[in-house]
């Protein structure tokens, strides 16, 4: 029975307990996000404590970066309150009590969630007064050189983000980049912090004693430093340590001091702080703002999430990989081969190509297209020239054939022309023979006969010369052509033929000589073809009046040759096609004469046209450009 009593409640209580547990989980699950949301919405109050001032380099750059990083990464709304520990500015710091009291009244009852100190003086202040001001508030002591960390006063509530100034590395960099360096002028102020560093640098650089002379500017007002820096001896460089407060007690905020030094110095400036890089210093290994601020914010966020500060530990941050300013390297004639391997060279001035990449690409493209066009055009021109030469050769050959055909037509008249002088020669020779047989030949008569023989012989030779010149196979040759005489020669050539056919052939030359540029044989060919066609045309009409009149005149800047006939004229429909190759109305015609005429005329930059005369018959007009020099001569005359 008791067993039952004992076991029953256990069995019956199990589902109840499970239900309770599930209920709890549900309630917790429902409440937890609300709690988290509430936690997230609660602003975090951050006290950012500066050592010298908000605009004091290098700390100002760290502070700016830390603030920006915190704002970027914080899941909570932030209330960042910044304060500056002014006492660090003075060479002889006064009492800090008023500032402590001010902060005390500010944070009484409502301490910040975290304190971030920037620089050693701020770290020391936090360590010194946190028990009084905000005893439970965790602190991240950032941008503190490891030697300045007050280890004794560190608590479990602190995280230190320390850096290590490696002066041997910084000076070693100077000697590597400018191996001829003999002296380093160290720019450093006169505040207690700066004085501390003078001793540290001296101690650390002992191994370089025989190698480098050090000049210390800590005792000089900044004005004097500028004067000295402008007249430094060769092989001297400047080392920019710190210039917060100079020997005259003048505070140097921002980067004005460094920029003024850069403007007057006759030697390169080196520094180991990234905030001084980019515009004034040559560069080398230096503290990286990014690395320090990112570690600081890592620590701050972990702490704000509830992690214990004592669990967050960092090794002191060393110099980052060396970086150099290309402009300073150029200015001081530093060879890039002297830079340590793995160095980064920044601020390189873009080369012409990089600066005007698009413009250059455009110009190159234009040149390419232009080049392509030019070579295309040259190629085309060459092709055209070859084609031109070829067509002229063909033309010359065709014209030659055509002249043969004309000569064939003129055989009778040529024979007649030759027969006349040859017949006279024979008669005269026979007469002379007879006279010589007499006892006393009349010598004067004989001389006259011989003169006649000579004249007739010359006439015959002239006929043969003209025939030969017409039948000569000539390539197209360009020269200055006197039109009057060239035309007269053709007219003379066909005169007998015309006479034989009962046609009156007349020629009216121009009043003054006209010159054209061209090939005389080809131009004669034009006229020959026109006259022979005119002869054919006049033969077609049954009339007693058969005439062909050739005339040369000037119209403007053109020489105009007209060939008129009294033939039947040309059918209106044929006027358009008369110059086409193979157009003929003659049973034995070839239809090439007019085509040859047009081709030759056009090759001489002229025109040819055909019309019907109102009185009947046709007129062909050839226009050729007058040679410019003749034209000018005649215009002037
Ligand atoms: P073909 O003389 O072998 O016929 P052409 O080319 O010299 O070839 O002449 C073509 C045609 O033009 C001739 O057949 C003729 O019909 C016409 N023609 C040429 N000149 C004249 C002219 N002066 N009068 C009338 N017709 C002409």
């Amino acid at each position: 029975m008791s067993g039952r009593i004992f076991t029953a409640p256990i069995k019956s209580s199990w589902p109840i307990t499970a239900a309770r547990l599930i209920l709890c989980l549900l309630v917790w699950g429902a409440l937890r996000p609300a709690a988290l949301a509430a936690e997230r919405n609660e602003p975090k109050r951050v006290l950012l404590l500066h050592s010298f001032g908000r605009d004091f380099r290098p700390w100002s750059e760290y502070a700016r970066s830390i603030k920006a990083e915190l704002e970027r990464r914080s899941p909570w709304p932030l209330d960042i309150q910044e304060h500056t520990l002014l006492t660090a500015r003075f060479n002889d710091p006064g009492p800090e009590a008023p500032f402590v009291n001010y902060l005390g009244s500010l944070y009484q009852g409502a301490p910040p969630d975290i304190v971030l100190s920037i620089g050693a003086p701020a770290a020391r202040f936090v360590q010194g007064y946190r028990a009084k001001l905000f005893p439970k508030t965790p602190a991240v002591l950032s941008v503190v050189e490891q030697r300045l960390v007050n280890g004794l006063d560190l608590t479990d509530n602190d995280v230190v983000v320390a850096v290590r100034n490696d002066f041997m590395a910084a000076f070693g960099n100077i000697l590597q980049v400018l191996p001829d360096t003999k002296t380093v002028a160290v720019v450093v102020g006169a505040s207690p912090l700066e004085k501390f560093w003078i001793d540290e640098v001296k101690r650390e650089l002992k191994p370089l004693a025989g190698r480098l002379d050090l000049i210390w500017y800590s005792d000089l007002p900044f004005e004097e430093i500028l004067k000295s820096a402008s007249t430094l001896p060769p092989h001297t460089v400047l080392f920019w340590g710190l210039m917060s407060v100079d020997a005259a007690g003048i505070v140097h905020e921002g980067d004005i001091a460094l920029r003024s030094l850069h403007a007057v110095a006759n030697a390169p400036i080196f520094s180991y702080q990234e905030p001084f890089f980019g515009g004034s210093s040559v560069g080398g290994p230096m503290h990286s703002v990014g690395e320090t601020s990112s570690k600081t914010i890592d620590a701050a966020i972990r702490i704000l999430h509830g992690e214990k500060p004592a669990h967050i530990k960092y090794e002191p941050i060393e110099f980052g990989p060396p970086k150099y300013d290309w402009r300073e390297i150029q200015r001081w004639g530093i060879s890039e081969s002297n830079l340590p391997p793995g160095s980064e060279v920044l601020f390189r001035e873009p080369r012409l190509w990089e600066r005007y990449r698009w413009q250059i690409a455009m110009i190159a493209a234009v040149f390419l297209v232009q080049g392509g066009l030019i070579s295309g055009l040259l190629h085309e021109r060459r092709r055209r020239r070859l084609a031109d030469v070829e067509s002229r050769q063909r033309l010359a050959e065709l014209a030659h054939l055509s002249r043969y055909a004309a000569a064939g037509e003129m055989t009778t008249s040529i024979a007649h022309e030759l027969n006349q002088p040859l017949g006279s020669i024979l008669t005269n020779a026979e007469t002379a023979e007879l006279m010589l047989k007499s006892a006393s030949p009349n010598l004067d008569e004989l001389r006259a006969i011989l003169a006649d023989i000579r004249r007739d012989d010359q006439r015959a030779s002239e006929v043969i010369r003209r025939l030969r010149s017409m039948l000569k196979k000539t390539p197209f040759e360009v020269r200055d052509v006197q039109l009057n005489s060239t035309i007269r020669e053709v007219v003379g050539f066909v005169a007998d033929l015309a006479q034989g056919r009962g046609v009156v052939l007349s020629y009216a030359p121009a009043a003054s000589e006209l010159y054209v540029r061209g090939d005389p044989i080809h131009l004669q060919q034009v006229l020959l073809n026109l006259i022979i066609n005119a002869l054919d045309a006049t033969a077609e009409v049954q009339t007693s009046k058969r005439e062909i009149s050739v005339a040369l005149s000037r119209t403007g800047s053109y020489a105009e040759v007209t060939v008129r006939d009294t033939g039947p004229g040309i059918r209106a429909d044929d006027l358009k096609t008369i110059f086409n190759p193979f157009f003929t109305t003659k049973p034995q015609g070839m239809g090439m004469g007019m085509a040859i005429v047009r081709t030759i005329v056009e090759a001489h930059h002229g025109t040819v046209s055909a019309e019907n005369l109102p009185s009947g018959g046709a007129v062909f007009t050839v226009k050729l450009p007058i040679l410019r020099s003749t034209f000018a001569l005649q215009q002037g005359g």
Side-chain angles (χ1 to χ4, degrees):
M1 169 98 180
S2 63
R4 264 197 336 258
I5 291 166
F6 177 72
T7 53
I10 291 175
K11 274 187 183 169
S12 64
S13 70
W14 161 240
I16 296 166
T17 316
R20 261 190 209 146
L21 189 63
I22 290 165
L23 190 68
C24 283
L25 278 172
L26 282 173
V27 170
W28 185 81
L31 290 179
R32 180 64 191 153
L36 276 176
E39 193 185 309
R40 286 224 174 100
N41 282 330
E42 191 106 336
K44 296 289 180 193
R45 297 174 73 212
V46 180
L47 193 162
L48 192 64
L49 191 63
H50 299 273
S51 283
F52 288 85
R54 284 183 183 202
D55 295 318
F56 253 88
R57 285 205 186 202
W59 301 283
S60 54
E61 296 308 300
Y62 287 98
R64 224 186 302 283
S65 169
I66 285 169
K67 225 174 116 179
E69 182 87 356
L70 181 62
E71 276 163 356
R72 193 173 62 79
R73 288 172 53 186
S74 164
W76 312 276
L78 292 169
D79 175 10
I80 302 175
Q81 298 166 3
E82 294 181 67
H83 297 285
T84 295
L85 185 74
L86 287 169
T87 44
R89 287 176 173 221
F90 306 112
N91 296 350
D92 186 13
E96 284 172 333
F99 184 56
V100 177
N101 290 340
Y102 163 71
L103 290 182
S105 57
L106 207 63
Y107 293 107
Q108 200 171 22
D113 292 305
I114 193 163
V115 174
L116 302 180
S117 72
I118 312 287
R124 278 180 182 266
F125 181 88
V126 173
Q127 286 184 297
Y129 297 102
R130 66 119 54 91
K132 185 174 176 190
L133 293 172
F134 16 74
K136 289 188 182 141
T137 304
V140 180
L141 311 175
S142 184
V143 205
V144 194
E145 214 285 340
Q146 57 162 8
R147 278 164 271 198
L148 295 167
V149 177
N150 177 5
L152 291 176
D153 291 337
L154 278 180
T155 69
D156 281 354
N157 224 4
D158 300 328
V159 174
V160 180
V161 181
V163 296
R164 191 172 86 84
N165 292 348
D166 186 346
F167 294 110
M168 269 307 274
F171 279 67
N173 167 59
I174 296 173
L175 291 173
Q176 165 144 20
V177 171
L178 288 167
D180 293 338
T181 308
K182 292 196 172 63
T183 312
V184 180
V186 186
V187 184
V188 63
S191 67
L193 178 67
E194 287 159 315
K195 283 201 173 123
F196 166 82
W197 281 119
I198 295 172
D199 294 338
E200 281 304 297
V201 175
K202 279 183 183 165
R203 194 178 53 74
E204 220 175 285
L205 293 188
K206 266 194 189 128
L208 295 177
R211 173 73 182 81
L212 275 180
D213 286 334
L214 298 180
I215 302 172
W216 297 92
Y217 281 157
S218 49
D219 295 335
L220 294 180
F222 195 65
E223 283 302 306
E224 293 298 315
I225 295 176
L226 290 181
K227 270 188 212 152
S228 167
S230 63
T231 54
L232 289 169
H235 309 303
T236 303
V237 304
L238 286 152
F239 184 77
W240 181 265
L242 265 184
M243 179 43 69
S244 309
V245 187
D246 69 13
I250 295 171
V251 174
H252 296 278
E253 260 185 315
D255 61 351
I256 296 170
L258 178 57
R259 278 203 272 126
S260 338
L261 182 74
H262 182 256
V264 299
N266 67 342
I269 304 170
F270 286 82
S271 156
Y272 60 94
Q273 283 286 5
E274 197 178 46
F276 296 132
F277 178 69
S280 304
S281 71
V282 174
M286 59 186 103
H287 285 310
S288 141
V289 172
E291 191 183 349
T292 308
S293 52
S294 135
K295 283 210 166 116
T296 306
I297 297 311
D298 272 348
I301 289 189
R302 283 166 70 182
I303 292 168
L304 289 171
H305 266 304
E307 203 170 325
K308 285 208 161 35
H311 293 169
I312 306 169
K313 295 247 182 290
Y314 296 118
E315 284 298 306
I317 301 168
E318 302 282 342
F319 290 153
K323 287 198 274 192
Y324 295 90
D325 188 327
W326 182 84
R327 297 162 296 186
E328 293 298 300
I329 285 177
Q330 299 300 307
R331 182 177 172 199
W332 303 107
I334 296 168
S335 160
E336 283 197 37
S337 61
N338 284 2
L339 308 184
S343 304
E344 196 183 352
V345 179
L346 297 160
F347 312 112
R348 247 181 230 283
E349 257 171 37
R351 269 167 272 178
L352 216 60
W353 158 245
E354 286 155 353
R355 202 181 301 175
Y356 301 112
R357 191 186 300 253
W358 286 111
Q359 288 90 330
I360 292 174
M362 287 283 288
I363 291 169
V366 167
F367 272 120
L368 271 176
V369 171
Q370 205 178 35
L373 275 174
I374 289 172
S375 71
L377 286 172
L378 283 176
H379 177 70
E380 188 56 29
R381 198 178 139 204
R382 200 165 163 270
R383 244 170 43 100
R384 280 181 57 184
R385 210 182 252 178
L386 285 174
D388 210 27
V389 168
E390 203 174 316
S391 85
R392 280 184 187 181
Q393 268 169 5
R394 295 264 174 284
L395 174 69
E397 275 164 24
L398 207 57
H400 183 233
L401 279 177
S402 165
R403 285 197 296 277
Y404 260 104
E409 246 180 274
M410 290 186 294
T411 340
T412 345
S413 92
I414 292 164
H416 173 71
E417 259 199 283
L418 279 176
N419 260 346
Q420 259 191 341
L422 289 177
S424 312
I425 289 169
L426 188 63
T427 317
N428 278 326
E430 283 168 357
T431 314
E433 251 177 359
L434 282 175
M435 283 175 76
L436 284 171
K437 279 181 188 160
S438 75
S440 55
N442 183 341
L443 289 179
D444 286 341
E445 191 81 7
L446 271 173
R447 265 190 214 105
I449 288 172
L450 282 175
D452 282 354
I453 290 174
R454 179 191 295 272
R455 190 204 60 221
D456 289 334
D457 177 76
Q458 276 169 349
R459 261 182 69 190
S461 307
E462 177 61 15
V463 172
I464 290 167
R465 186 195 66 76
R466 285 204 321 246
L467 187 64
R468 281 179 65 191
S469 87
M470 194 184 86
L471 294 179
K472 212 164 53 176
K473 193 175 181 184
T474 51
F476 195 89
E477 263 175 31
V478 177
R479 58 183 136 120
D480 296 354
V481 182
Q482 278 189 358
L483 276 184
N484 266 343
S485 48
T486 308
I487 296 170
R488 180 173 289 118
E489 205 163 87
V490 183
V491 173
F493 197 62
V494 286
D496 281 329
L497 181 65
Q499 204 183 0
R501 293 195 187 179
V503 178
V504 180
L505 175 63
S506 65
Y507 171 48
S512 59
E513 188 55 87
L514 297 178
Y515 287 86
V516 294
R517 190 103 184 110
D519 182 321
I521 301 282
H522 282 93
L523 288 174
Q524 285 187 332
Q525 170 89 59
V526 168
L527 218 65
L528 190 65
N529 288 7
L530 292 175
I531 295 173
I532 287 176
N533 270 345
L535 281 172
D536 288 348
T538 48
E540 283 179 34
V541 278
Q542 297 297 322
T543 167
S544 53
K545 188 183 150 231
R546 292 195 176 118
E547 281 175 18
I548 297 174
S549 39
V550 180
L552 172 65
S553 62
R554 202 181 100 183
T555 46
S557 54
Y558 284 86
E560 196 176 275
V561 188
T562 51
V563 179
R564 291 159 200 270
D565 62 58
T566 52
I570 306 152
R571 279 195 336 130
D573 285 353
D574 297 344
L575 277 170
K576 287 180 211 131
T577 46
I578 197 166
F579 294 103
N580 289 352
F582 310 113
F583 173 80
T584 181
T585 53
K586 299 171 194 167
Q588 306 301 321
M590 269 214 315
M592 285 307 293
M594 291 298 103
I596 289 170
V597 164
R598 186 171 67 178
T599 315
I600 293 177
V601 171
E602 284 177 357
H604 285 78
H605 309 291
T607 56
V608 59
S609 59
E611 279 172 280
N612 285 318
L613 290 164
S615 54
V619 55
F620 285 81
T621 307
V622 174
K623 280 185 172 185
L624 298 167
I626 295 175
L627 198 64
R628 196 170 288 244
S629 55
T630 332
F631 183 49
L633 204 71
Q634 287 174 0
Q635 293 278 79

